[in-house]
Amino acid sequence: MHAAQFTAEPSPSDVIIAGCGPTGAMLAAELRLHDVRVLVLEKETEPVSFARIVGLHIRSIELMAMRGLLERMLERGRQRPAGGFFAAIDKPAPEGLDSAHAYLLGIPQPVIVHLLEEHAIELGAQVRRGCAVADFDQDDDGVTVELAGGERLRSRYLVGCDGGRSTVRKLLGVGFPGEPSRTETLMGEMEVGVPQEEIAAKVTEIREPHQRFWLRPAGVGVYSVVVPAAGVSDRAKPPTLEDFKQQLRAIAGTDFGVHSPRWLSRFGDATRLAERYRVGRVLLAGDAAHVHPPIGGQGLNLGVQDACNLGWKLAAQVRGWAPETLLDTYQAERHPVAEDVLDNTRAQTELLSAEPGARAVRRLLTELMDFDEVNRYLIEKITAIGIRYDFGAGPDLLGRRLRDIDVRQGHLYGLLHRGRGLLLDRTERLTAGGWSDRVDYLGDPTAALDAPCVLLRPDGHVAWIGDDQQDLDDHLSRWFGKPAD
């Protein structure tokens, strides 16, 4: 952040978001649900062209259902079983996962970004491409953002969703401690020139000593290929098809006739977490706040979930009804979640090592995952449905997200499309009263709700359970501010 203050013309934006990836686009949409004026700045002039397939995990799929986006995603993706996520140990998901959406949705990352950006624009967000943040200055009333071309914009808040090399984070002076990359891995999708049976047999033979090696079907005649990057071209340059062939021949003795790549990339195992998610009127989300290896496929999901946690809270701040400490709960809730993701990716990385000790631990964990409790614990961790925020003492459901249960009007998540709180009242004696402009009410929702009354936050987490109106009013004030006059 530049030391000298600079001025700008008044801007029609309440929030400027740097970066229009999945996190930035999702956050823009969440803010627009509450009529917050949003401007998204994206430094790239065109969307990313390569169609890297990523997986939406259960919790992210639930969030899409909560916002009415799931059908769009399902039309462009492919449902796969929810299993084999932890260190690629091939175990099926346990039965009876606590979700109506217990599957993985494989979908190209550019498609996710397009659908989320389209959704945000439909809601009224503005997106400007070819605009890179060069500097900013904040004061008691807002943030002045300077673009690379010298243009200056003014907003009340700035959110850095601009990736692992975040300019916003660097200008903000927030530390990004962790470990640098130790190993590099090549990943891509390409066509193959040998029969599927030959590939399957070779992969089975090699996988035990080489966990960072696989070929998996990714469409008709197309495979996802992962190989170690050791000894190939300069890491600063994009990998080539010849790099993949070289590594395949070194490990498998054949390059499987790979050709016609769809996309090629490399990634390292750098693991870093921002020391703070907020400094005054500037916040961080997604990869700008945390980076880690893609093992387990948690990165994009973690960022989208950051956006859904932050969006309604920042909107409340802008709209003037936020309780004093509400915005602070963003870091209090999401920083520990990221810490846990970083730790489990560290553990998974070790389990992919070819060292004898790591291979022995992997074999042991593979045996332990035959126990339902172990397998369930790891699946819930990776898919983020095991998260419980600390809302104080109370039943186990308090602080957890509520699954998409059936209600009289259809499905619970269909009632959360507007991003408001929701009071589910089986007693039909309570009321949201002066908070009805922020909290919807549903009496006698369903027998499937094993509680007299539940207050849901806009992100679907249970904020209160009980049957006393005064206690409810206290918790409504805690999360949704003072009642309207």
Side-chain angles (χ1 to χ4, degrees), residues 42-181:
E42 170 54 53
K43 67 179 181 179
E44 301 297 334
T45 56
E46 297 292 336
V48 175
S49 58
F50 64 81
R52 177 180 176 181
I53 303 295
V54 297
L56 286 182
H57 282 312
I58 296 173
R59 182 55 184 152
S60 296
I61 295 170
E62 291 181 339
L63 292 172
M64 298 303 148
M66 285 183 194
R67 298 301 184 253
L69 292 168
L70 184 54
E71 290 305 316
R72 299 189 200 185
M73 297 286 177
L74 290 175
E75 289 174 359
R76 305 291 297 275
R78 185 172 67 173
Q79 295 185 44
R80 300 174 181 173
F85 301 142
F86 196 86
I89 294 175
D90 189 16
K91 296 289 183 179
E95 294 184 4
L97 283 173
D98 182 35
S99 178
H101 307 280
Y103 52 88
L104 175 76
L105 183 63
I107 184 170
Q109 181 163 337
V111 172
I112 295 177
V113 174
H114 170 72
L115 293 176
L116 292 178
E117 181 180 345
E118 180 181 66
H119 176 55
I121 292 172
E122 288 172 357
L123 292 171
Q126 292 185 315
V127 178
R128 290 181 55 184
R129 291 191 169 273
C131 295
V133 173
D135 204 351
F136 64 82
D137 180 78
Q138 64 171 309
D139 52 48
D140 291 342
D141 299 317
V143 184
T144 302
V145 176
E146 183 175 2
L147 305 184
E151 183 181 359
R152 292 167 180 172
L153 303 171
R154 182 74 174 170
S155 69
R156 297 175 64 181
Y157 291 89
L158 169 66
V159 185
C161 301
D162 50 343
R165 296 180 175 87
S166 171
T167 298
V168 173
R169 186 191 65 242
K170 293 173 183 176
L171 291 171
L172 196 57
V174 169
F176 204 40
E179 305 90 52
S181 183

Side-chain angles (χ1 to χ4, degrees), residues 223-241:
Y223 274 71
S224 172
V225 179
V226 172
V227 288
V232 301
S233 58
D234 184 353
R235 60 176 295 185
K237 298 179 181 179
T240 65
L241 181 63

